[in-house]
Amino acid sequence: MGNTLPNPHDTLFKALLEDPERASALLRESLPKALTDKMADDPRPVDGSFIDENLRGTHSDRLFQVALRDGRSAFIYTLIEHKSWPDMGAPLQLMGYRHRIWTRHAQDKPEQLRKLPPIITLLVYHGRTPWNVPTRLIDCIDADEDLLELQRDGGYAVKDLSGN
């Protein structure tokens, strides 16, 4: 009858990310050293998914929160991409997931919007061709250096008409 799993890679990574000890090991070896050096303990899973309903067949995700040595915390967002080709929409899609995570974090606590924890994203891809999609949203914007600089940190201009 063959393989009855819809996607064995997805099943494997979901199982790894569901087990706290294995998830911690996978994340510590996969994430940037700039984060792992600051982690005070192992990442804890956070309930919920941030994937659009129409993408659940080709994606799965897991959110973790980790305490940092300085007393703050960070989110680690893992997205398992199981398409057989690189998804050029991934950078924009991941920005949308970050927005959802921060919005949920600050839900009913507007003061949290000034203290958003960083979100470090790990995309696990296992397609047939190498991943050749930009890993930063800024690299998807078609502009000269001056205009890119205005985009780099997500800043915006304010014209305050309040007269204060």
Side-chain angles (χ1 to χ4, degrees):
M1 223 164 153
N3 187 352
T4 58
L5 296 174
N7 190 313
H9 292 109
D10 184 50
T11 304
L12 170 65
F13 278 103
K14 276 184 175 178
L16 283 172
L17 294 174
E18 291 298 324
D19 178 285
E21 193 172 309
R22 288 188 178 130
S24 180
L26 175 67
L27 293 173
R28 283 185 183 274
E29 74 179 37
S30 303
L31 291 167
K33 189 171 172 25
L35 172 64
T36 58
D37 283 353
K38 294 177 183 340
M39 291 169 43
D41 60 12
D42 290 337
R44 304 179 319 277
V46 176
D47 288 337
S49 173
F50 297 88
I51 295 178
D52 296 322
E53 200 61 44
N54 61 333
L55 295 175
R56 297 235 168 130
T58 57
H59 298 71
S60 58
D61 66 343
R62 190 66 155 128
L63 181 65
F64 296 87
Q65 189 165 16
V66 63
L68 302 176
R69 294 184 198 283
D70 67 5
R72 293 183 279 187
S73 67
F75 287 120
I76 302 167
Y77 183 67
T78 60
L79 178 68
I80 301 169
E81 167 82 35
H82 52 94
K83 290 182 179 176
S84 57
W85 66 91
D87 182 356
M88 295 308 276
L92 190 57
Q93 191 177 27
L94 289 168
M95 181 58 65
Y97 298 153
R98 287 182 190 109
H99 175 264
R100 290 178 189 168
I101 292 165
W102 280 323
T103 299
R104 190 173 88 180
H105 172 75
Q107 187 176 17
D108 300 325
K109 297 175 268 177
E111 68 280 359
Q112 290 292 351
L113 291 171
R114 297 196 99 179
K115 294 183 175 190
L116 295 173
I119 300 172
I120 311 304
T121 304
L122 171 63
L123 187 142
V124 178
Y125 168 73
H126 47 82
R128 294 187 179 111
T129 60
W131 186 261
N132 61 357
V133 176
T135 57
R136 301 178 321 155
L137 187 59
I138 192 79
D139 294 333
C140 297
I141 298 173
D142 184 19
D144 65 25
E145 273 306 310
D146 292 334
L147 294 179
L148 277 179
E149 192 55 41
L150 296 173
Q151 301 290 297
R152 201 160 305 283
D153 67 357
Y156 56 93
V158 174
K159 175 74 171 165
D160 187 346
L161 301 175
S162 67
N164 294 328

